[in-house]
Amino acid sequence: MDHALAVVGPTEKSKELVREAGELAAGVDAKLTLLYGTTEEEYNDQRVELEEISNYEASYSVTQAMQGAKNYAADVGREVLDDLDVEWEAHGAIGDMGETVLTEADRYGCDHVFVTGQKRSPTGKAIFGDETQRIVLDFDGPVTVLTV
């Protein structure tokens, strides 16, 4: 492994996943990219909420949302990776998370992806889809999944 991507989320399990990814990357002298993403729907909801505030004069741009996502990933990185000897960087993204993870892993040349997933029945995956399953099937390399 030369470069890994860990998907950051707002849960303690996600922090555990980032820690495990960091320990593995440190052990093999690999670089680690932390990615926190938000869906377009979440971004639009946040934008509408901010614009409804009567004294809020500015708009909430995509650039601001991506910077906020990057800042969140960096905060998690500092919290859980500070005591490890691992080179890491944080990034933020907006969009479909399955596609975003695959695109960003390709962009940064990652050869391993770490992601959390939800336990779902095969029927649930067929009806509702599953971004984690898509990443596992479409990523050309190992994918470590920590289920929540």
Side-chain angles (χ1 to χ4, degrees):
M1 177 173 73
D2 293 321
H3 194 151
L5 181 132
V7 179
V8 177
T11 65
E12 288 303 313
K13 282 288 186 187
S14 175
K15 289 178 183 179
E16 288 177 31
L17 178 78
V18 170
R19 177 65 184 199
E20 288 180 26
E23 289 174 352
L24 183 58
V28 296
D29 199 29
K31 187 173 182 180
L32 179 63
T33 294
L34 305 180
L35 176 68
Y36 180 79
T38 185
T39 67
E40 290 181 27
E41 181 180 347
E42 291 168 334
Y43 160 71
N44 285 326
D45 290 347
Q46 182 70 30
R47 184 184 51 78
V48 168
E49 285 179 29
L50 288 172
E51 289 174 355
E52 288 177 353
I53 298 172
S54 61
N55 61 355
Y56 188 75
E57 297 176 12
S59 64
Y60 183 56
S61 70
V62 170
T63 302
Q64 289 170 309
M66 289 181 62
Q67 185 61 48
K70 178 181 178 179
N71 291 345
Y72 183 82
D75 288 344
V76 170
R78 282 187 292 274
E79 179 182 337
V80 301
L81 300 173
D82 238 12
D83 63 334
L84 293 177
D85 184 22
V86 62
E87 181 183 349
W88 63 273
E89 61 186 14
H91 293 279
I94 296 176
D96 171 76
M97 283 315 298
E99 182 65 31
T100 298
V101 168
L102 294 169
T103 299
E104 296 301 303
D106 185 55
R107 174 182 298 166
Y108 299 112
C110 298
D111 52 6
H112 194 130
V113 171
F114 294 81
V115 63
T116 58
Q118 295 180 347
K119 292 181 184 178
R120 282 196 179 158
S121 69
T123 303
K125 288 178 185 177
I127 293 172
F128 301 110
D130 186 33
E131 293 170 349
T132 303
Q133 181 182 26
R134 179 174 179 205
I135 294 165
V136 169
L137 293 174
D138 292 347
F139 182 68
D140 188 25
V143 178
T144 300
V145 179
L146 180 62
T147 56
V148 292

